[in-house]
């Protein structure tokens, strides 16, 4: 959602494919959870998927985003054709990274394109609008066009095409839950960014509180 909001094109890279079994199934499951987004499995150790990733980058500028230890710097080195980034082993206790990369660095790639490696992220907070959420969940937006009501919230309304798709197995219930969560987060971000909306919300809350106090007094 953040990528779409920034005008970028997201892709998912499943690194260290040589360390797990069932890579094809993992790629398929990830692609199903992210319709319209390219999903690649790569391995620096075996070179699996590296050529496909290089072709996907082309002559564009690409930013690698992920937690520490995910393999971003190792991918940067193999794509750059030289050791331009320091790498480190993950911790043996919890397999987490050690924050080897401490700043954002841009690296021109042989044949074109620029790769930007970034420090590992502990968490990502959403700061995007509802249009970006809609772009992320285009499959749900397409289904929503078939709902009986134009303002359907997909939460028990009659004739809802989205919940109907969940019922018949066309849409995963978890994906609808993810859409609801991001809708709430995007709405909250819009509220925080707008003093006008914050004041309006405060006035509504004040009216509700006063009504509740009056009813309590009459009771």
């Amino acid at each position: 959602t953040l990528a779409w909001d920034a005008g970028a094109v997201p892709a998912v890279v499943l690194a260290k494919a040589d360390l797990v079994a069932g890579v094809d199934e993992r790629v398929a499951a990830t692609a199903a959870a992210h319709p319209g987004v390219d999903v690649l499995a790569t391995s620096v150790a075996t070179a699996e998927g590296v050529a496909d990733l290089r072709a996907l980058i082309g002559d564009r500028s690409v930013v690698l985003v992920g937690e520490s230890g995910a393999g971003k710097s190792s991918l940067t080195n193999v794509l750059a054709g030289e050791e331009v980034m320091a790498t480190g082993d993950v911790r043996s206790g919890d397999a987490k990274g050690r924050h080897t990369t401490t700043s954002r660095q841009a690296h021109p790639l042989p044949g074109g394109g620029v790769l930007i490696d970034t420090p590992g992220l502990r968490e990502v907070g959403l700061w995007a609008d509802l249009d970006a959420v809609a772009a992320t969940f285009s499959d749900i937006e397409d289904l929503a066009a078939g709902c009986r009501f134009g303002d359907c919230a997909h939460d028990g309304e009659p004739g809802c095409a989205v919940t109907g798709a969940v019922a018949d197995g066309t849409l995963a219930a978890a994906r609808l839950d993810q859409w609801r969560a991001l809708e709430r987060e995007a709405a909250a971000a819009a509220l925080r960014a707008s003093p006008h909306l914050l004041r309006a919300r405060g006035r509504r809350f004040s009216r509700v509180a006063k009504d509740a106090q009056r009813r309590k007094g009459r009771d």
Side-chain angles (χ1 to χ4, degrees):
T1 299
L2 291 172
W4 289 124
D5 187 60
V9 179
V12 178
V13 177
L14 305 180
K16 307 183 183 182
D18 57 295
L19 301 181
V20 297
V23 173
D24 291 342
E25 290 80 1
R26 292 169 185 259
V27 170
T30 305
H34 300 82
V37 176
D38 288 309
V39 179
L40 301 175
T42 64
S43 168
V44 171
T46 67
E48 176 185 352
V50 173
D52 292 335
L53 179 57
R54 184 66 187 89
L56 181 64
I57 293 172
D59 60 357
R60 294 182 290 186
S61 296
V62 176
V63 179
L64 297 180
V65 180
E67 66 179 354
S68 294
K72 302 185 299 299
S73 295
S74 296
L75 273 176
T76 299
N77 288 337
V78 74
L79 290 168
E82 58 180 313
E83 296 293 316
V84 295
M85 295 296 297
T87 60
D89 294 332
V90 297
R91 297 193 299 259
S92 59
D94 57 8
K96 296 294 184 181
R98 302 173 186 269
H99 296 289
T100 306
T101 302
T102 57
S103 63
R104 299 173 184 84
Q105 300 184 45
H107 306 281
L109 299 180
V114 175
L115 192 64
I116 302 171
D117 194 11
T118 63
L121 297 178
R122 289 187 174 88
E123 62 180 2
V124 175
L126 182 66
W127 192 274
D129 59 25
L130 293 173
D131 289 339
V133 176
T136 306
F137 292 87
S138 57
D139 52 336
I140 292 180
E141 293 296 311
D142 291 342
L143 286 169
C147 292
R148 181 184 302 175
F149 303 108
D151 60 349
C152 183
H154 321 311
D155 193 22
E157 295 90 344
C160 176
V162 175
T163 53
V166 172
D168 65 20
T170 306
L171 178 69
R175 184 155 176 81
L176 180 56
D177 290 340
Q178 292 165 354
W179 171 82
R180 287 172 174 151
L182 279 184
E183 282 267 305
R184 290 193 298 269
E185 196 168 346
L191 187 65
R192 292 193 299 269
S194 172
H196 171 72
L197 291 176
L198 279 172
R199 288 194 296 270
R201 184 182 184 187
R203 289 193 295 268
R204 288 196 300 271
F205 179 80
S206 178
R207 287 196 296 269
V208 170
K210 289 178 180 177
D211 288 343
Q213 289 174 347
R214 283 196 294 268
R215 286 195 298 271
K216 183 177 181 181
R218 287 196 299 267
D219 293 342

